[in-house]
């Protein structure tokens, strides 16, 4: 890799400390470059998608978004909070390895604090795993309290899921016959299409599930009985997925996510 490439890289872990320091000092539109922390999970994603889907999706999108806003991508947090039966199939399924809420919260809190201590005070928590959401909120709150006590002011944290910019036209493109529910979209049409486009070698096209949506009672039970639901790990059919849908989704999401993120820091997006 040439020196030019390393100083214009979006990936923090590919940069030297001097490259990073120079990027922080040069700044972007009146502040440090935005640093995006992709947050995911190691969670089953049906018989056809890899366990790392929720980490890979925000990572691949973050790299494309960062290129548009002159930002940085921190190494992905590839483990997250426990998969829940109604949104991820459940943490009992083989391959799911997750963190307790407290552990996860403190990991994110510590990373936010260290970014800010080194001048990276524009931070994006870019989530790919719904179960992480409130722990990211808690981590942000604790980090801001800790930074304030240290006298480090001006940190701004923006939290979003990569899916937030899926609007009605995109929804119609993905589900021409109608969306059943976003909660049951785990390992279904949206994620499968995106992965078919972004990481086709990791998708087992011969194993794409086609079955009715999982059914759950309107309440939660602890301990969860894994035999109470029968599903493949996907919570609804992924048969309608295609790489063409994935391409259209990614090409629409990247510029709108870049615009939203830049706007959240009062920046213009090219
Ligand atoms: Zn997922």
């Amino acid at each position: 890799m040439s020196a030019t490439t390393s100083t214009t890289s979006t990936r923090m872990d590919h940069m030297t400390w001097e490259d990073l320091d120079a990027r922080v000092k040069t700044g972007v539109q009146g502040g440090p470059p935005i640093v995006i922390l992709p947050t995911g999970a190691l969670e089953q994603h049906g018989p056809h998608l890899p366990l790392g889907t929720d980490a890979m999706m925000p990572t691949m999108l973050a790299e494309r978004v960062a290129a548009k806003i002159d930002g940085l991508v921190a190494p992905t947090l590839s483990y997250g909070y426990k998969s829940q039966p109604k949104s991820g199939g459940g943490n009992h399924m083989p391959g799911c390895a997750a963190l307790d809420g407290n552990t996860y919260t403190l990991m994110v809190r510590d990373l936010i604090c260290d970014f800010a201590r080194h001048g990276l005070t524009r931070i994006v928590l870019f989530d790919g795993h719904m179960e992480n959401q409130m722990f990211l909120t808690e981590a942000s709150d604790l980090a801001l309290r800790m930074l304030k006590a240290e006298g480090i002011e001006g940190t701004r944290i923006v939290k979003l899921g990569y899916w937030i910019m899926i609007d009605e036209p995109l929804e119609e493109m993905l589900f021409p016959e109608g969306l059943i529910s976003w909660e049951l979209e785990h390992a279904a049409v949206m994620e499968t299409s995106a992965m078919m486009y972004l990481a086709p070698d990791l998708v087992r096209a011969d194993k794409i599930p086609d079955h009715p949506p999982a059914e759950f009672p309107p309440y939660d039970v602890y301990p969860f009985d894994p035999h109470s639901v029968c599903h493949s790990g996907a919570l609804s059919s992924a048969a309608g997925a295609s790489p063409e849908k994935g391409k259209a989704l990614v090409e629409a999401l990247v510029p709108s996510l870049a615009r939203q993120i830049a706007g959240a820091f009062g920046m213009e997006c090219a």
Side-chain angles (χ1 to χ4, degrees), residues 7-8 11 58 64 72 74 86 106 116 120 142 148 153 156 170 179 183 191 196 204 216-217 234 242 256 258-259 262:
T7 51
T8 55
R11 283 192 50 169
R64 288 162 167 80
L72 304 170
K86 287 183 183 176
L106 297 184
L120 289 164
L142 296 181
K148 193 170 179 201
E153 303 282 352
R156 188 177 181 84
L170 277 179
L179 167 71
E183 283 199 339
E191 283 180 316
M196 286 171 113
R204 298 282 299 269
F216 297 101
S242 73
S256 59
R259 244 189 339 271

Side-chain angles (χ1 to χ4, degrees), residues 151-217:
I152 299 168
E153 303 282 352
T155 302
R156 188 177 181 84
I157 303 156
V158 173
K159 183 193 86 165
L160 71 164
Y162 72 76
W163 55 79
I164 60 148
M165 297 309 292
I166 300 179
D167 56 9
E168 226 169 280
L170 277 179
E171 206 172 285
E172 279 165 21
M173 180 277 293
L174 287 168
F175 310 100
E177 283 154 33
L179 167 71
I180 298 170
S181 103
W182 274 113
E183 283 199 339
L184 294 179
E185 255 305 294
H186 174 76
V189 173
M190 189 272 283
E191 283 180 316
T192 305
S193 298
M195 288 294 281
M196 286 171 113
Y197 171 60
L198 292 168
D201 294 350
L202 298 177
V203 180
R204 298 282 299 269
D206 57 324
K207 292 203 162 188
I208 289 177
D210 185 10
H211 53 61
E215 282 184 40
F216 297 101

Side-chain angles (χ1 to χ4, degrees), residues 100-112 135 138-139 142 146:
D100 283 350
N102 194 41
T103 314
Y104 183 67
T105 302
L106 297 184
M107 281 181 70
V108 177
R109 179 205 66 179
D110 289 354
L111 293 173
I112 292 171
F135 299 101
E138 176 69 351
L142 296 181
M146 194 175 268

